[in-house]
């Protein structure tokens, strides 16, 4: 491919994968989908409306109003990112997951909510739209990372997958520069890193449209890329997320593959569901070596809750949606599906050479998280979010009637007891991904707090809601009232003070 075409392909292909939902595109598909929004009678674009609607301003507010009492041991920043289109010229041709990344943050300290900020990530394109200079050389495959934001060794990194470098942010969410792990990262990265706190290692699995493999990348305690292992795969599949255990890297080869013809035709998302590509899960030693592959029934593998070793088996818990999954939404400006996401489990028996699948919970839910100190080790508790407006947007356009029982809630799972607790919110109060923060001096896995941005329909703005993880269904410990909305988006982290 020529340089300009390759750049356009990578921006569309990789960035749409940012929200972990990709599906059937062919040449001309996206143009037809965009046109359908004006011919189906409704003209609705749910991913640009309601809880999804982009905000138009960067806000800064100090000494935020709090209902309840903030735990005094919450010293740090709660950050979450997502797509927030800037300067959208044609809404009909826009796709939710191609929006410029915007990070929303609240600074907590000493029982006070000191500030709220929202800032676009200053890629070269965003800087140009805002009339600002871009400092330094523009990196290859540049994009305003919109999928995840993590702390790493005193830095704050906004992440994307399949091409763009992370962007480093400062403590007030201003963009500092692209970050390449001390000049050691070349090629693509991922939005869903796994940090093993015991080993002090950051792991990633990266893919790229022109590769005949995916890469497992390990960044060691010095902050440099210390190992890169190539895992051969066919058809250039998308691998949005992966799993890590104490012994293994687990990759999921979904039937979502690069479509060169769609890319040449200008499709923003040139990845499609490929029935000819078998669904597999692969297990590779963390130190590298041969990957053992296991064929499984196709699903859309969305996000990893966690994984761990158990004797001769690997246990992986994750959210999934029914196959196939369509990123284009057939005219609604976002993804569409024939079923809502559920929490599932694979038990990979390495001795017997088989995978046993099980449904953990069929309540619609996404964005699963655990106590981050237990990534790659056995956990008891997991947390997830359910937003009614998201499931309706996913399903309505494709002829699947939305279930009126859909609700807004956060979910706590007890894997030992096989039970769940649900903290419900009112109609219109869309809840974002929950992030667990341990209480200072905590001894129990769930001794801490759950933080989530939740829309307040009465105010037309959002609250940072803080729950006690051990009193999950009780009243929130605190609500921090923000001066604006935080649109439904993707992932975030707690960035504790040093």
């Amino acid at each position: 491919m020529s340089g300009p075409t390759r750049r356009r392909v990578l921006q569309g292909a990789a960035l749409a994968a940012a929200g972990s939902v990709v599906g059937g595109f062919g040449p001309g598909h996206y143009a037809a989908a965009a046109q359908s929004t004006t011919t189906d009678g409704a003209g609705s674009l749910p991913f640009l409306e309601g809880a999804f609607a982009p905000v138009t301003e960067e806000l800064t507010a100090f000494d935020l109003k709090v209902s309840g009492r903030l735990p005094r041991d919450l010293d740090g920043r709660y950050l979450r990112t997502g797509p927030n289109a800037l300067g959208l010229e044609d809404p009909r041709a826009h796709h939710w997951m191609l929006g410029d990344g915007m990070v929303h943050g609240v600074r907590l300290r000493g029982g006070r909510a000191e500030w709220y900020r929202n800032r676009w990530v200053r890629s070269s394109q965003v800087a140009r739209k805002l009339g600002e200079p871009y400092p330094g050389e523009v990196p290859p495959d540049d994009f305003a990372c919109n999928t995840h934001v993590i702390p790493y060794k005193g830095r704050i990194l906004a992440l994307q997958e399949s091409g763009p470098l992370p962007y480093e942010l400062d403590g007030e969410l201003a963009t500092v520069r692209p970050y390449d792990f001390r000049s050691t990262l070349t090629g693509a990265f991922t939005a869903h890193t796994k940090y093993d706190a015991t080993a002090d290692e950051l792991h990633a699995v990266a893919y790229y449209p022109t590769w005949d493999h995916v890469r497992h990348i390990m960044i060691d305690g010095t902050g440099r890329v210390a190992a890169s292992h190539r895992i051969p795969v066919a058809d250039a599949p998308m691998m949005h997320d992966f799993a890590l255990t104490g012994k293994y890297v687990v990759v999921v080869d979904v039937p979502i593959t690069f479509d060169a013809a769609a890319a040449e035709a200008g499709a923003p998302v040139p990845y499609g569901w490929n029935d000819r590509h078998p669904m597999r899960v692969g297990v590779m030693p963390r130190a590298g070596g041969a990957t053992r592959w296991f064929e499984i029934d196709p699903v859309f593998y969305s996000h990893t809750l966690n994984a761990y070793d158990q004797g001769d088996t690997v246990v992986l818990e994750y959210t999934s949606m029914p196959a196939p999954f369509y990123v284009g939404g057939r005219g609604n400006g976002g993804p569409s599906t024939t079923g809502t996401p559920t929490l599932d489990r694979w038990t990979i028996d390495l001795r017997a050479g088989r995978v046993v699948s099980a449904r953990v919970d069929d309540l619609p839910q996404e964005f699963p998280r655990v106590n981050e100190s237990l990534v790659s080790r056995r956990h008891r508790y997991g947390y997830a979010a359910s937003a009614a407006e998201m499931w309706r947007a996913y399903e309505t356009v494709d002829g699947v009637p939305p279930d009126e029982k859909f609700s807004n809630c956060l979910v706590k799972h007890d894997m030992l007891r096989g039970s769940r607790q649900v903290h419900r919110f009112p109609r219109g109060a869309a809840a974002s991904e929950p992030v667990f923060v341990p209480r200072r001096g905590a001894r129990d896995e769930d001794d801490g707090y759950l933080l989530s941005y939740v829309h307040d329909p009465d105010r037309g703005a959002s609250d940072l809601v803080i729950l006690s993880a051990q009193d999950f269904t009780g009243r929130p410990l605190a609500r921090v009232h923000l001066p604006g909305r935080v649109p439904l988006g993707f992932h975030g982290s707690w960035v504790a003070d040093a």
Side-chain angles (χ1 to χ4, degrees):
M1 293 181 188
S2 65
T5 301
R6 180 174 178 272
R7 188 181 184 97
R8 185 185 71 243
V9 165
L10 298 177
Q11 286 178 344
L15 307 178
S20 84
V21 282
V22 185
F25 279 92
H29 174 94
Y30 194 79
Q35 290 175 359
S36 74
T37 62
T38 62
T39 60
D40 62 5
S44 176
L45 291 169
F47 291 96
L48 287 173
E49 302 167 355
F52 293 96
V55 297
T56 59
E57 296 179 295
E58 296 183 328
L59 302 177
T60 304
F62 298 98
D63 295 322
L64 306 175
K65 180 180 177 181
V66 177
S67 297
R69 180 172 295 181
L70 283 169
R72 296 187 66 85
D73 60 341
L74 282 176
D75 284 344
R77 296 161 175 82
Y78 177 64
L79 309 180
R80 205 223 67 197
T81 191
N84 194 92
L86 173 62
L88 190 59
E89 295 181 1
D90 184 0
R92 296 170 304 168
H94 176 67
H95 191 280
W96 179 43
M97 294 173 189
L98 298 179
D100 305 292
M102 174 177 274
V103 178
H104 301 258
V106 175
R107 174 69 160 102
L108 304 179
R109 179 160 51 186
R112 296 174 52 240
E114 291 188 344
W115 54 252
Y116 163 80
R117 286 179 167 87
N118 63 317
R119 297 290 187 271
W120 275 289
V121 177
R122 260 53 171 191
S123 66
S124 59
Q125 299 97 323
V126 167
R128 176 179 51 79
K129 291 177 185 178
L130 293 172
E132 300 174 358
Y134 183 83
E137 184 179 352
V138 177
D141 309 317
D142 185 35
F143 185 72
C145 302
N146 71 15
T147 310
H148 207 347
V149 56
I150 65 168
Y152 183 66
K153 295 195 175 297
R155 303 178 189 271
I156 298 170
L157 303 180
L159 303 181
Q160 197 74 24
E161 67 191 71
S162 188
L165 287 173
Y167 265 99
E168 181 182 351
L169 311 178
D170 68 17
E172 295 186 344
L173 308 188
T175 302
V176 178
R177 64 180 68 85
Y179 187 67
D180 58 4
F181 298 96
R182 305 176 73 174
S183 302
T184 61
L185 176 64
T186 58
F189 201 55
T190 186
H192 286 293
T193 54
K194 310 297 177 197
Y195 179 66
D196 183 333
T198 302
D200 191 16
E201 294 175 354
L202 185 70
H203 291 252
V205 169
Y207 68 94
Y208 204 64
T210 58
W211 290 352
D212 60 0
H213 61 277
V214 296
R215 293 181 189 173
H216 165 239
I217 300 164
M218 189 274 282
I219 300 161
D220 68 13
T222 70
R224 295 179 173 89
V225 174
S228 180
H229 307 115
R230 297 190 177 195
I231 304 173
V233 293
D235 303 325
M238 185 204 77
M239 288 193 187
H240 176 68
D241 205 350
F242 74 105
L244 185 73
T245 75
K247 298 178 182 178
Y248 302 105
V249 175
V250 185
V251 295
V252 184
D253 186 4
V254 296
I256 297 172
T257 60
F258 180 65
D259 185 338
E264 292 295 341
V269 189
Y271 278 82
W273 192 270
N274 184 353
D275 287 323
R276 297 182 299 276
H277 186 90
M279 174 118 187
R280 307 181 299 168
V281 58
V283 179
M284 184 189 77
R286 277 173 58 154
T291 301
R292 289 189 62 186
W293 291 103
F294 303 83
E295 287 201 19
I296 51 179
D297 292 334
V299 296
F300 178 70
Y301 182 89
S302 186
H303 291 110
T304 304
L305 173 66
N306 198 20
Y308 56 89
D309 302 303
Q310 185 172 274
D312 292 324
T313 66
V314 170
V315 179
L316 193 165
E317 293 172 343
Y318 63 99
T319 52
S320 72
M321 301 186 203
F325 195 92
Y326 301 100
V327 70
R330 302 173 189 177
N332 68 344
S336 66
T337 180
T338 56
T340 48
T342 53
L343 184 63
D344 298 316
R345 178 186 295 121
W346 285 323
T347 302
I348 307 167
D349 190 328
L350 300 175
R351 177 175 292 180
R354 64 180 183 180
V355 179
V356 177
S357 300
R359 175 66 40 84
V360 176
D361 188 11
D362 60 5
L363 177 76
Q365 60 196 282
E366 252 286 22
F367 308 118
R369 299 293 290 262
V370 294
N371 182 327
E372 296 292 306
S373 68
L374 294 176
V375 168
S376 79
R377 295 187 288 148
R378 185 164 188 169
H379 61 280
R380 175 174 177 177
Y381 299 105
Y383 309 91
S386 187
E389 194 163 344
M390 183 171 285
W391 315 142
R392 293 190 184 106
Y394 277 15
E395 289 194 292
T396 301
V397 174
D398 284 63
V400 180
D403 188 341
E404 294 304 322
K405 294 182 292 185
F406 289 168
S407 63
N408 300 300
C409 62
L410 298 178
V411 187
K412 177 184 179 180
H413 294 279
D414 185 332
M415 301 304 180
L416 179 62
R417 295 183 177 179
S419 62
R420 74 170 185 228
Q421 298 178 60
V422 178
H423 187 102
R424 299 192 181 277
F425 297 102
R427 183 182 180 88
S432 297
E433 175 189 63
V435 171
F436 177 84
V437 183
R439 188 178 62 83
R440 189 176 298 157
R443 295 185 178 181
D444 297 327
E445 178 184 334
D446 65 342
D447 187 2
Y449 315 105
L450 263 294
L451 279 62
S452 174
Y453 289 131
V454 180
H455 184 61
D456 181 345
D458 294 331
R459 292 196 309 119
S462 296
D463 294 336
L464 171 57
V465 174
I466 301 173
L467 305 179
S468 166
Q470 293 186 329
D471 184 21
F472 191 76
T473 60
R475 291 176 61 87
L477 297 174
R479 280 180 172 265
V480 179
H481 303 293
L482 309 185
R485 290 190 308 106
V486 178
L488 278 175
F490 300 143
H491 308 282
S493 299
W494 172 252
V495 181
D497 283 356

